[in-house]
Structure formats: C-alpha cells, structure tokens
Amino acid sequence: MAHKRIRPFNTKDTYPEQNLDNDLCQAVVARGTTIFLRGQCPQDLDTSVDIGSPDPVEQTHKVMQNIRQLIEESGGKMEHLCKVVVYLTDVRHREAVYRTMGEYIKGVHPVSTGVVVTCLARPGWLVEIDATAVIPD
C-alpha cells in the first residue's frame, strides 16, 4: 500500500445486513503531493455532457472512472486514493453505489464518508463523489 492505513476493514463485515464489499479504513496516514478532486458527477470530463442514465450503477461507474482518470492525469494511481465523500440523493441507492465504487477501490482502503442530500447540481444526478489522493514523496 502507498500509505499507512489504520484499522482497515471490509464493509461485508461491518454491515452484514447489506450486500457490500468495500475495502475501507478508519484513518490514512499519508505524506506527499496532495490531489484534491472536485466532486465528480456522471458526466464526460471533456464535454461535460451527462451520461444520460437514470441508473445509479451506471452513474457510479462514470464517477469512479472520472476519479481514476483525474488521479492518473495528476501523476498518481488509485492506490494513492486516501478519502472519498459520497453524496447520494436517495439512501435506497446506497448499496448499488457502494458496491460499484468498491470495484474501483478493492485493496486501496480509503476513508469514506457518506451523505444523503436533497439534490445535486443537476436533477438527473443520483451520486457525486469527491476524492483526495496523495502521491507519496
């Protein structure tokens, strides 16, 4: 791992009633060049065009692909991801969004905060994720 992960866990153990499989931790100790990402939404990074899907899984795939692309464009890798904040407009999408996000963070163990909000910047958006990564010294 690129950074020291304090108390790593998997959500299948901490939320056994939910169908989740996310590698997270309680804290990350990181040192290096910090990358702060704007909240990523289900739109193309080059054109700002929405993907046009009402499916929370498809939206989350696009959000996580954007996060990966921006971290790589900044010189980092997904293993440098330290923190995500997940914004959902409907708590019923939580499992689908977190399962999908889990595909991108397997073995990474970032810290994570989830928030349910009334709405996001565009009515069709169901999920937005902001992220922080640190490229080690």
Side-chain angles (χ1 to χ4, degrees):
M1 283 188 218
H3 304 295
K4 183 176 182 181
R5 312 292 170 149
I6 307 298
R7 296 180 182 247
F9 66 94
N10 187 286
T11 52
K12 67 184 166 198
D13 301 320
T14 56
Y15 299 99
E17 74 282 4
Q18 298 176 20
N19 184 19
L20 299 175
D21 184 15
N22 292 44
D23 288 334
L24 301 173
C25 69
Q26 297 295 337
V28 175
V29 180
R31 190 174 174 160
T33 302
T34 305
I35 305 166
F36 298 99
L37 298 184
R38 173 179 191 252
Q40 294 302 303
C41 299
Q43 63 183 14
D44 184 89
L45 285 172
D46 295 321
T47 65
S48 299
V49 173
D50 289 348
I51 65 166
S53 172
D55 179 19
V57 170
E58 288 182 20
Q59 289 194 15
T60 306
H61 274 298
K62 184 59 182 165
V63 167
M64 292 305 296
Q65 290 163 4
N66 287 353
I67 288 171
R68 182 177 55 209
Q69 181 178 341
L70 290 167
I71 289 173
E72 289 174 355
E73 286 179 11
S74 299
K77 302 175 191 172
M78 284 299 282
E79 69 188 47
H80 301 146
L81 184 65
C82 293
K83 181 173 182 165
V84 293
V85 180
V86 181
Y87 301 89
L88 299 173
T89 59
D90 189 331
V91 72
R92 293 172 293 187
H93 298 311
R94 182 178 183 274
E95 285 187 53
V97 167
Y98 275 70
R99 272 195 309 272
T100 306
M101 183 178 71
E103 296 174 27
Y104 295 84
I105 62 170
K106 197 71 173 162
V108 176
H109 296 275
V111 296
S112 174
T113 299
V115 183
V116 178
V117 297
T118 304
C119 63
L120 296 168
R122 291 196 172 146
W125 290 349
L126 306 174
V127 60
E128 179 173 339
I129 302 175
D130 73 45
T132 304
V134 179
I135 301 170
D137 289 336

